[in-house]
Structures are given as C-alpha cells and as structure tokens.
Amino acid sequence: MPSEEAVRADPEPRFRRVLLKLSGEALMGKGAAYGIDPDAVTRIARDVSAVHAMGVEVCLVVGGGNIFRGLAGVAAGIDRATADGMGMLATIINALALQSTLEGLGLTTRVVSAIPMQTICEPYIRRRAARHMEKGRVVICAAGTGNPYFTTDTAAALRAAELACEALFKGTQVDGVYSADPQRDRAAVRYDRVSYTRVLSDNLRVMDSTAISLARDNGIPVIIFSIHDPGAFADVVCGAGRFTTVSEEE
Ligand code: UDP
C-alpha cells in the first residue's frame, strides 16, 4: 500500500464507481434551519466534479431533511405514508438543485426518480441509470426508495447494491464515526475502521440500521467523512484525509 505522502503526490482513486449519499442538511447554509443555500450546493458540486474528473463514475442519493421530514409531518398530524410521500418529494427538489449546479460546472447529469415524474426527470430504471454512469453522466437518485417508512440512507444502500457501486460514501457533519456525538461528548472516541456489527450493536448512528444491514449483506463498504471540508470527497476516494470505513473487519 502506498504511503500517505505518495497518495498525496499522485492521487489515484481506489474505486471505479461510487455512490455519495448527501443529506438534505448538507445543502443548507451553516446555521440555517431550512432550505437550500446556493453556496453550499456549489461547494458540494465542485467536490463531486473533482471526483468525476479523476475518471470515477459517480451517482448521488440525496435526502430531503432540509425541506421536509416524514416524522415532522406525523408530529403535525399528517398520516405517516402521506408525510413520507411529502418527504420524498422534497428530495426531488434537492436533486434538481444539484443537477442545475453540477451542469453549471460543465458536467452532464440525469435525475432519476423512484416516484415517476416524467416532465421534470427520468423514472429510475436500474439498467438505464447504470448506462448513464458508464457514459460519464452523474446520476442523481431522487425520491428515496419510492416507499414510505424508509429513509434516503436505505435508498443509498439499495442503489449502491443495485448499481454495483464499490463503496457508499456518506458525507456527514463530522469526519468519521465516533463512539458518541463528538459535538456533545468530549470523551467520544473516533474510529478509523469499525464493523457493521459494532455499528448495529453499539447503535453508533452512522446510518439507520436497515441501511447498514443492507450494506453488510451486500459487502458494500460505507465510508464516512465530513462534507464540510472542501476537497474531502476526492481525498477520501483516493484513501487520503480523514474518514471511517465501516466494513466486515474491525
Ligand atoms: N422518505 C421515504 N422513503 C424513502 C426515503 C425517504 O418515505 O425511501 C421520506 C421520509 O419521510 C424522510 C424524507 O423522505 O423523512 C426525507 O428523507 P431523509 O430523512 O432520509 O433525508 P435526510 O435526512 O438524508 O436529509
């Protein structure tokens, strides 16, 4: 394995096809409680563009928590399946924002939605989405799994398996997996590598348990890094920078 310096001097991607899960929160401005911040979207789009420029096939799964979460709707008296439908529609709004910004940087993209919405994007068809990636298009998967009672984390694990992605990257608020929330607990320990089983048994809140189980059952490594560090996605795809790998081994 090359030394860290060697990786920096001549960055070589470790994967040919990856999936990046972006939560809706990543698209909000710092300190905002709602909505889409064009600067945040542009920064993320640049990071995606840098990975694409290395010849890596990239697809994205985007969340919707910056606009609407099903459980918030339930708390407001909306039934769960309807509220989840609203949450999935929120992810389509985010996907379109990402598409426009990525195309502004010169990339070719396709938004593919699990809820058909033909006038604004393509329906998700697995083989077609894979073909888009082969042709160098960035595929943005919207509307989660298309089913209520699921999350976009689970959609990310599902699409990563279906589209034969070699790794599922999750850009989060922190630079890896900790034993407790590092923003609240100073004693929190950071892991470089942790097993799926430990994530589930210690309830490490990396992703929901359905997503982790699906990744485990399909042998897809989940790589957690900070979405707030510009350039981190490209570094981490090359095995550099700070990240935690969730896989079979500890
Ligand atoms: N959602 C759903 N099924 C899915 C994915 C998402 O019903 O397969 C709904 C759910 O209500 C969720 C909302 O869409 O609260 C937004 O997704 P998520 O909370 O995963 O977004 P994130 O937290 O990543 O921004």
Side-chain angles (χ1 to χ4, degrees):
M1 186 169 301
S3 70
E4 202 167 298
E5 285 69 32
V7 169
R8 281 216 186 93
D10 184 16
E12 271 294 320
R14 291 186 171 184
F15 306 98
R16 281 173 293 111
R17 178 179 287 183
V18 300
L19 185 146
L20 172 64
K21 162 70 209 294
L22 291 166
S23 62
E25 206 179 349
L27 308 184
M28 291 190 312
K30 271 233 155 83
Y34 176 83
I36 299 174
D37 173 36
D39 291 341
V41 181
T42 300
R43 214 183 37 66
I44 289 170
R46 285 205 187 103
D47 284 3
V48 171
S49 174
V51 170
H52 180 266
M54 295 191 294
V56 179
E57 294 176 7
V58 185
C59 61
L60 310 175
V61 168
V62 62
N66 56 322
I67 299 172
F68 195 85
R69 267 185 215 285
L71 290 179
V74 171
I78 302 171
D79 74 88
R80 176 74 191 262
T82 304
D84 280 345
M86 295 165 72
M88 287 187 273
L89 295 180
T91 72
I92 301 176
I93 296 175
N94 285 335
L96 295 175
L98 276 164
Q99 175 171 50
S100 169
T101 310
L102 285 163
E103 298 216 327
L105 297 179
L107 281 88
T108 308
T109 69
R110 293 289 186 274
V111 173
V112 299
S113 173
I115 297 175
M117 208 176 272
Q118 271 90 330
T119 48
I120 54 171
C121 58
E122 289 184 8
Y124 172 73
I125 298 170
R126 184 181 67 85
R127 294 173 69 113
R128 198 153 145 190
R131 187 75 188 122
H132 286 320
M133 279 195 279
E134 283 166 17
K135 288 187 171 176
R137 298 168 184 151
V138 174
V139 171
I140 307 163
C141 300
T145 63
N147 298 292
Y149 298 93
F150 286 93
T151 64
T152 52
D153 279 358
T154 300
L158 175 65
R159 296 293 183 242
E162 286 185 281
L163 296 171
C165 295
E166 292 163 330
L168 191 176
F169 288 78
K170 183 170 177 185
T172 66
Q173 306 301 309
V174 289
D175 60 358
V177 178
Y178 288 77
S179 56
D181 181 349
Q183 283 161 357
R184 288 187 194 159
D185 184 348
R186 290 170 136 253
V189 175
R190 184 178 170 284
Y191 301 101
D192 280 336
R193 182 173 278 278
V194 61
S195 68
Y196 304 112
T197 308
R198 183 178 294 278
V199 168
L200 292 172
S201 63
D202 292 4
N203 199 15
L204 290 179
R205 300 191 180 282
V206 176
M207 290 184 125
D208 61 78
S209 57
T210 313
I212 289 293
S213 302
L214 203 51
R216 179 181 62 185
D217 292 351
N218 292 285
I220 301 166
V222 178
I223 298 173
I224 311 293
F225 68 101
S226 168
I227 198 67
H228 296 300
D229 299 339
F233 183 33
D235 284 347
V236 173
V237 165
C238 295
R242 280 169 74 78
F243 57 91
T244 297
T245 304
V246 184
S247 65
E248 210 59 73
E249 310 105 62
E250 282 276 76

